[in-house]
Amino acid sequence: TNIYIYIYKVSYTITQIERRFDLSSSVVGLIDGSFEMGNLLFLAVVSHFGARLHRPRLIGMGCFIMAIGSAVTGLPHFFMGRYKYDTVIQGSLNKTVSISPYCVKDPGSNMWIYVFLGNALRGIGETPVTPLGISYIDDFAKAENSAFYISCLQTIMLLGPMFGFLLGSLCAKLYVDIGFVSVDSVTITPQDARWVGAWWLGFFVSSAILVLAGVPFWFLPRSLPKQGEEGNENSNVDQDKKEQSVLPNTHSVKLADIAKGFLPSLKKLLCTPAYFLLLCGIVLKFNSFIGLLTFKAKYMEQQFGQSASRANFLIGVLILPVVAVGIFLGGLLMKRYKLSVVAGAQLSFITSFTAFLLLLLHFGTKCDNVPVAGLTYMLHTIICNNNFILFEWWQVFHNCSCVLTPSPVEGSRSVSPGQCHRGPGCTRSFTSYMAVSVLSSFINSLGTTPGYMIIIRCITPELKSLALGIQTLVMRTLGGIPAPVYFGALIDSTCLKWGIRSCGGRGACRMYDSNMYRLIFLSLTTCLSGCSYFFIIAVIVLLRKQFRKEEIKALQQTDSKQNETELQSPEMCHPDASNTDTSPREKTESANTEC
């Protein structure tokens, strides 16, 4: 199910949606954040009440809701007209575009609202999966195996984004109106800034798969026997009693009684210092992660000249698989060496900070701005003949008057629309960028499972589901929703050339200042990640003190029990208690006297 939840998201087709609906990056970021908006509406309620209900069936119900949301997200394609890209180039760049006062508004201009609502519905359906699924596993698994199982779950979860980016790559290669228009009539390629891929297709594929994924959950039991105690009837009885104390039966406990305990449980949870500080660190880290994930493919397009299809393909094939391997190995390390909570927190900090240092190398991997007349390369106005020769996929303009007059040896010059090809230096920079990204992603993922186990182990068992739910709620409220919006707004500030809608007004950005884009994007992600480590260090210090006190308390209790045992066993006090020549009565009297 975790694979199918993330198999296709808005962030995988963010460039296509931006161009199709003529939206800015900030608005597209708002659409991407609608998933978290829908999620947080019910997250706290589901986490608290769901732990006391039939958890597998709630997850199955969530899958069906997500399937409906995915279908709604892709529906606007069938209600919009065919996509029309700009085919007329103005004779002079200094001419202004006149808009007719009788211009009819495009009927599909507000269709992005349905994408927003469909994505929010997907977020509502995803609500029970993480808090209820992980708590379900942890409740019925051995303590030493729990981290390994959760790492397996998170590893499998990453297969969803991996397939999602590959599906997004395939859809980006297909023209948006495939099946409705002749492919031969399309005169632009995926490398063109006007190209829009079949962004809607993946959502219907995801919808069908989610329906199938939700069916098995309706046949899972409400509870399972504790791992390792399956054949022990007494242990099953003890487990049932334990479950009833922690997860009361809904037939005997009313929802009103459960609701009364919500606020006290929430207060107890937030008053745990280690948990609260960890939340603060996670929020900052999650802001950085969401901004990076949402706009990473677009960054690769604008900075290194990659197509949307190739950018998605490389993320799905190179980065996500090594992250999955790293998460699995992190859980395996915890199981193999039986790492404590403190050791796991230290491992998580070391791996994350090492990856952070590696990401600083991205500031040095760059490509210069593409020379474009009037934007990044200052030329006089380019004036061409209105007539142009059209062959294959390119429009070529002749008799152009530029600042540089060609010499007789060079012959005549011509220009063509679209971006210029990048040089070999840019290709080397992109190779270095991908190598550092893959290495840092692997190192960072090694500490994912140990870091996740801190949340489960630093609070009492009955607050486990609520703790995971509140964590997800806070992450998405303070990270998942605002991060794409303010990342997108800052990216918009680097735009050099905005598109113009058919009835006027600003459309999608056609070209960015790649140097400013790089500095703003990387500075924001690194600053957010860097600030999070102050909270993580504080959590490690608190955990050390907390578990040191518990160890001392446990040792004192052990010594006290040992002393009580010795006092209750007189034979242990007499050095000659094993002397066979002494009668039993004499042994007892002698031992009592000695004690």
Side-chain angles (χ1 to χ4, degrees):
T1 303
N2 276 279
I3 294 176
Y4 303 141
I5 289 172
Y6 302 103
I7 199 166
Y8 206 72
K9 294 184 66 179
V10 169
S11 56
Y12 307 155
T13 59
I14 196 165
T15 303
Q16 314 303 319
I17 293 176
E18 181 179 317
R19 293 173 182 172
R20 182 64 183 96
F21 295 93
D22 262 331
L23 303 173
S24 64
S25 295
S26 57
V27 175
V28 175
L30 180 65
I31 295 174
D32 187 54
S34 63
F35 182 89
E36 279 72 23
M37 294 179 191
N39 193 274
L40 67 88
L41 288 176
F42 298 95
L43 189 57
V45 176
V46 169
S47 300
H48 183 68
F49 289 93
R52 292 153 173 81
L53 301 175
H54 199 299
R55 288 178 282 185
R57 289 183 182 175
L58 285 176
I59 295 174
M61 190 183 302
C63 290
F64 295 145
I65 294 175
M66 281 188 289
I68 296 172
S70 294
V72 171
T73 304
L75 276 180
H77 169 73
F78 299 98
F79 299 107
M80 300 176 68
R82 302 282 78 85
Y83 174 59
K84 298 177 182 178
Y85 50 87
D86 299 332
T87 56
V88 179
I89 307 297
Q90 296 294 326
S92 174
L93 287 179
N94 58 4
K95 289 184 179 180
T96 58
V97 180
S98 60
I99 305 298
S100 171
Y102 304 105
C103 179
V104 179
K105 190 174 183 180
D106 185 2
S109 58
N110 292 325
M111 281 290 178
W112 64 268
I113 296 175
Y114 291 94
V115 181
F116 179 93
L117 295 176
N119 202 37
L121 196 60
R122 292 180 66 251
I124 293 173
E126 194 267 347
T127 302
V129 176
T130 299
L132 300 187
I134 290 181
S135 64
Y136 188 80
I137 292 174
D138 191 61
D139 283 343
F140 306 115
K142 286 183 178 179
E144 60 269 21
N145 293 338
S146 181
F148 177 70
Y149 291 147
I150 291 175
S151 70
C152 291
L153 181 67
Q154 292 178 326
T155 301
I156 292 173
M157 188 191 305
L158 276 175
L159 295 179
M162 185 175 73
F163 291 138
F165 275 108
L166 294 179
L167 182 59
S169 174
L170 175 63
C171 292
K173 290 181 179 179
L174 305 175
Y175 186 64
V176 61
D177 292 322
I178 185 172
F180 298 93
V181 297
S182 173
V183 178
D184 297 333
S185 65
V186 181
T187 58
I188 55 176
T189 64
Q191 286 73 29
D192 196 294
R194 299 166 293 174
W195 174 270
V196 176
W199 62 272
W200 52 273
L201 185 60
F203 289 107
F204 288 102
V205 174
S206 174
S207 178
I209 294 176
L210 281 167
V211 171
L212 298 176
V215 173
F217 284 95
W218 292 89
F219 300 97
L220 289 177
R222 183 176 183 272
S223 62
L224 296 171
K226 188 73 174 179
Q227 190 181 33
E229 302 175 356
E230 293 86 349
N232 190 342
E233 295 182 358
N234 294 330
S235 64
N236 289 339
V237 174
D238 295 339
Q239 176 63 27
D240 291 338
K241 292 180 179 179
K242 180 181 178 182
E243 183 183 352
Q244 290 174 3
S245 63
V246 177
L247 306 174
N249 195 317
T250 54
H251 297 292
S252 59
V253 180
K254 297 180 180 178
L255 292 179
D257 296 331
I258 301 175
K260 289 179 181 177
F262 176 72
L263 290 179
S265 298
L266 182 61
K267 181 180 178 182
K268 183 179 179 181
L269 186 64
L270 296 179
C271 289
T272 305
Y275 180 79
F276 181 77
L277 289 173
L278 190 61
L279 270 185
C280 295
I282 287 175
V283 166
L284 291 172
K285 195 75 174 175
F286 195 66
N287 271 265
S288 175
F289 170 75
I290 287 296
L292 184 65
L293 179 65
T294 304
F295 294 104
K296 187 176 183 65
K298 184 172 182 176
Y299 177 79
M300 293 164 65
E301 295 174 44
Q302 299 299 327
Q303 184 65 217
F304 302 103
Q306 303 296 313
S307 66
S309 173
R310 180 172 170 79
N312 285 329
F313 178 80
L314 292 175
I315 294 174
V317 170
L318 296 180
I319 296 179
L320 293 180
V322 300
V323 172
V325 172
I327 291 176
F328 178 79
L329 292 178
L332 200 62
L333 284 173
M334 288 205 73
K335 176 179 170 61
R336 174 67 179 81
Y337 296 103
K338 298 180 179 178
L339 298 179
S340 64
V341 177
V342 177
Q346 292 172 340
L347 174 62
S348 179
F349 171 75
I350 291 172
T351 55
S352 179
F353 192 69
T354 303
F356 170 75
L357 295 178
L358 284 173
L359 287 177
L360 296 178
L361 298 175
H362 282 335
F363 282 95
T365 53
K366 62 177 182 177
C367 293
D368 293 330
N369 279 323
V370 177
V372 176
L375 295 178
T376 63
Y377 195 70
M378 299 308 297
L379 295 176
H380 289 281
T381 301
I382 300 178
I383 303 174
C384 305
N385 287 347
N386 290 330
N387 298 324
F388 57 85
I389 303 173
L390 178 59
F391 67 96
E392 290 185 357
W393 305 104
W394 297 103
Q395 297 172 348
V396 180
F397 299 86
H398 292 275
N399 274 341
C400 299
S401 172
C402 302
V403 68
L404 298 177
T405 303
S407 63
V409 179
E410 294 174 331
S412 63
R413 289 175 176 266
S414 63
V415 296
S416 59
Q419 292 190 9
C420 300
H421 293 288
R422 308 274 178 154
C426 186
T427 303
R428 289 191 295 269
S429 295
F430 181 65
T431 303
S432 302
Y433 173 83
M434 290 303 301
V436 172
S437 295
V438 169
L439 181 60
S440 63
S441 298
F442 173 73
I443 294 174
N444 184 68
S445 62
L446 287 172
T448 300
T449 303
Y452 205 85
M453 294 305 296
I454 301 173
I455 302 172
I456 298 177
R457 295 288 179 254
C458 73
I459 43 91
T460 54
E462 65 269 16
L463 297 176
K464 193 184 306 177
S465 293
L466 182 61
L468 293 171
I470 293 299
Q471 177 214 353
T472 309
L473 174 67
V474 173
M475 282 168 53
R476 289 177 172 172
T477 304
L478 302 180
I481 296 174
V485 177
Y486 65 75
F487 264 86
L490 290 173
I491 289 172
D492 285 340
S493 68
T494 67
C495 183
L496 293 175
K497 177 63 178 175
W498 291 97
I500 300 175
R501 295 182 178 180
S502 58
C503 286
R506 196 176 72 176
C509 183
R510 299 302 185 191
M511 186 175 182
Y512 295 88
D513 183 340
S514 61
N515 289 327
M516 286 301 299
Y517 192 135
R518 184 185 79 258
L519 291 175
I520 289 177
F521 184 68
L522 296 180
S523 297
L524 195 54
T525 54
T526 52
C527 286
L528 289 169
S529 292
C531 293
S532 68
Y533 294 116
F534 294 103
F535 293 98
I536 297 175
I537 292 172
V539 169
I540 295 175
V541 173
L542 282 176
L543 289 176
R544 280 181 175 178
K545 292 181 179 179
Q546 176 183 339
F547 284 92
R548 187 179 295 115
K549 289 179 181 179
E550 291 181 1
E551 289 175 359
I552 294 173
K553 185 177 180 180
L555 288 174
Q556 290 175 347
Q557 291 177 351
T558 303
D559 293 341
S560 177
K561 290 181 179 179
Q562 185 175 359
N563 292 334
E564 290 177 0
T565 304
E566 291 176 353
L567 289 173
Q568 293 172 1
S569 303
E571 295 85 353
M572 298 297 294
C573 301
H574 200 281
D576 298 325
S578 61
N579 190 350
T580 57
D581 297 335
T582 309
S583 64
R585 182 178 180 181
E586 291 174 345
K587 287 180 180 179
T588 303
E589 293 176 355
S590 177
N592 288 336
T593 305
E594 191 70 21
C595 288

